Amino acid sequence: MKRCRLAIVRQKYRPDGGAERFVSRALEALSAHDMELNVITRQWQGERQDNWHIHICDPMKLGRISREKGFADAARTLWQRENFDIVQSHERIAGCDIYRAGDGVHRRWLMQRARILPAWRGKWLFLDRYHRYVMQAEKAMYQAPELKAVICNAEMVKREIIEDFSIPANKIHVIYNAIDSSRFVPANDELRTKLRDELSIPQSAVTLVFVGSGFERKGLASAIKAIANTDRYLVIVGQDKVEKSYRELAQSLGCLNRIRFMGMQKNTLPFYQVADGLLLPTLYDPFPNVILEAMACGLPVITSATCGGAEFITIGQNGYVCDALNIPQLSEAVMAISSRFVDEKMGEYARERVRDATPEKLSQQLISLYQNILD
């Protein structure tokens, strides 16, 4: 492969974001190849390697639409001036060569969010100026003649793009995220005992972990309601400015004593290792990395049918797939998870399912795609 000047576009890079972890893993994997790696971003908060060229692109912003449009225009101007061989955007910006649909299809997210709102507010979502701007930018990006390929991290998103934008299937490439299964590992009995003592969780209690910020979208209300109907414990890792209302929900349902709010954590590994399963009834999520991380740690997963991660779940074998708002169904799935002390079979199936989701495989798939585009 000839030396390629690749530019990856992401408006704000913070190390705890799912899209950003894809970018960093891709950059690390691609560093071994003869490529010039560039990142166009408004703000970079992560670590960087010497051979990564970071282009800060931070125009003035006066609101959400101004923020999105300003960055899109400035990023496009920059990449046209630099004349990169391939521009891979993780933002909805017309004119890129490759778009990674890490956020899925915006209209589909609004459809799911409308389910938890009063009818009048649900209708208003689609009339909101910001959401209309995002949907228009998304449509313009898919219609742009420069677009050569789309990367999805789930078959669910591929189907939605084909249905909503009439993009040919052969233009859409499903490339699942990578996970380091040597770092995310199940805890041994001694470590698990220690971690549970630190969180004041009984050693015999079946415990679920919820990992994700933006609690409304990730389905924390459903998770708390599902737990309330059982004797299970729940560890919550993540942040939200209205966390207090979720504490109040748990208090009103009588289960706050079985819930641990841990806030944002740089290192999520111990929280997977303390648990027996992952509970993530997300309203809409293309494929959250936390599912791969949990499965690599030997946790069966309970998630929703509107989550691309459901594609990795064989119901009853390594987890369960429910409607995000079906509390009885979610509670039943929660009760079907056993303590890993008692039965590790589901966890072993989960770990086996993600064994081939390696950074090396991700690298090979990306290099192959770039080569096809350059050819």
Side-chain angles (χ1 to χ4, degrees):
M1 181 173 180
K2 79 175 183 73
R3 183 169 177 80
C4 168
R5 297 182 70 226
L6 169 70
I8 293 179
V9 183
R10 180 65 176 173
Q11 181 165 182
K12 189 176 179 182
Y13 187 101
R14 65 179 207 281
D16 62 313
E20 289 81 356
R21 275 179 282 180
F22 177 91
V23 171
S24 64
R25 286 168 187 164
L27 287 171
E28 287 162 10
L30 295 169
S31 291
H33 296 268
D34 188 24
M35 303 185 77
E36 181 189 301
L37 300 173
N38 299 270
V39 178
I40 301 172
T41 184
R42 189 187 282 278
Q43 185 180 4
W44 179 278
Q45 296 177 5
E47 296 175 4
R48 65 173 82 184
Q49 294 186 14
D50 292 340
N51 62 333
W52 299 356
H53 304 281
I54 311 299
H55 304 263
I56 299 298
C57 194
D58 190 18
M60 188 176 72
K61 52 188 183 292
L62 300 171
R64 289 204 295 176
I65 295 175
S66 167
R67 179 192 66 201
E68 300 299 320
K69 188 174 187 312
F71 178 76
D73 292 343
R76 189 186 303 109
T77 298
L78 192 154
W79 83 54
Q80 288 173 345
R81 183 177 70 240
E82 289 284 339
N83 196 27
F84 296 112
D85 294 309
I86 297 176
V87 175
Q88 175 180 311
S89 180
H90 294 241
E91 309 290 348
R92 300 170 175 96
I93 305 176
C96 58
D97 300 295
I98 301 172
Y99 172 61
R100 182 176 182 270
D103 296 323
V105 173
H106 196 68
R107 187 180 75 90
R108 300 291 182 132
W109 152 233
L110 296 181
M111 287 168 63
Q112 293 305 317
R113 186 165 181 233
R115 295 177 64 200
I116 62 169
L117 299 174
W120 69 269
R121 279 195 66 199
K123 289 177 182 174
W124 181 252
L125 272 181
F126 293 89
L127 299 174
D128 177 86
R129 284 184 65 242
Y130 171 73
H131 292 310
R132 280 192 292 133
Y133 169 81
V134 174
M135 288 187 284
Q136 287 163 1
E138 192 171 41
K139 183 177 180 181
M141 188 263 315
Y142 279 119
Q143 290 179 342
E146 294 90 347
L147 187 68
K148 301 174 182 69
V150 179
I151 298 173
C152 295
N153 54 2
E155 292 286 348
M156 176 188 85
V157 179
K158 179 176 180 174
R159 288 193 303 273
E160 291 172 352
I161 292 169
I162 291 170
E163 290 168 9
D164 286 16
F165 302 103
S166 302
I167 302 293
N170 62 3
K171 207 173 184 175
I172 307 175
H173 307 262
V174 177
I175 300 179
Y176 290 112
N177 293 354
I179 184 66
D180 182 354
S181 292
S182 64
R183 178 175 168 243
F184 287 93
V185 295
N188 58 36
D189 289 352
E190 182 183 357
L191 175 58
R192 177 184 152 109
T193 299
K194 174 176 172 287
L195 292 171
R196 289 206 165 200
D197 283 344
E198 289 173 358
L199 294 181
S200 301
I201 294 175
Q203 298 298 328
S204 60
V206 177
T207 302
L208 285 296
V209 64
F210 171 102
V211 184
S213 294
F215 291 162
E216 181 187 75
R217 181 172 190 154
K218 296 292 182 179
L220 182 56
S222 288
I224 291 172
K225 290 172 185 174
I227 288 291
N229 294 335
T230 71
D231 61 353
R232 302 331 200 194
Y233 279 65
L234 180 66
V235 177
I236 299 164
V237 179
Q239 67 182 15
D240 193 294
K241 59 178 181 276
V242 293
E243 178 185 305
K244 185 183 174 195
S245 67
Y246 290 91
R247 288 180 179 272
E248 290 170 351
L249 173 65
Q251 180 75 55
S252 71
L253 295 172
C255 61
L256 185 59
N257 64 318
R258 291 184 283 113
I259 292 180
R260 306 289 182 266
F261 284 86
M262 304 310 302
M264 179 64 76
Q265 297 286 335
K266 280 190 174 178
N267 181 18
T268 53
L269 178 59
F271 301 96
Y272 295 122
Q273 293 178 324
V274 83
D276 301 293
L278 174 75
L279 176 57
L280 193 74
T282 178
L283 274 173
Y284 179 79
D285 220 325
F287 200 134
N289 279 302
V290 299
I291 286 183
L292 295 177
E293 293 169 356
M295 293 178 83
C297 290
L299 300 186
V301 169
I302 301 170
T303 193
S304 58
T306 46
C307 174
E311 292 164 25
F312 274 38
I313 307 302
T314 301
I315 294 174
Q317 186 180 87
N318 61 6
Y320 297 91
V321 179
C322 309
D323 183 275
L325 302 180
N326 189 327
I327 307 306
Q329 193 180 34
L330 285 165
S331 296
E332 191 177 323
V334 166
M335 287 303 295
I337 301 293
S338 303
S339 166
R340 296 193 69 236
F341 277 140
V342 175
D343 186 0
E344 291 193 6
K345 193 155 284 181
M346 284 187 86
E348 289 168 359
Y349 280 129
R351 185 162 166 80
E352 185 60 35
R353 178 65 183 85
V354 300
R355 198 176 294 278
D356 73 338
T358 62
E360 293 76 23
K361 182 176 180 181
L362 170 64
S363 170
Q364 290 165 2
Q365 289 175 304
L366 287 173
I367 291 292
S368 175
L369 175 58
Y370 298 154
Q371 185 67 67
N372 287 340
I373 286 175
L374 290 172
D375 288 345

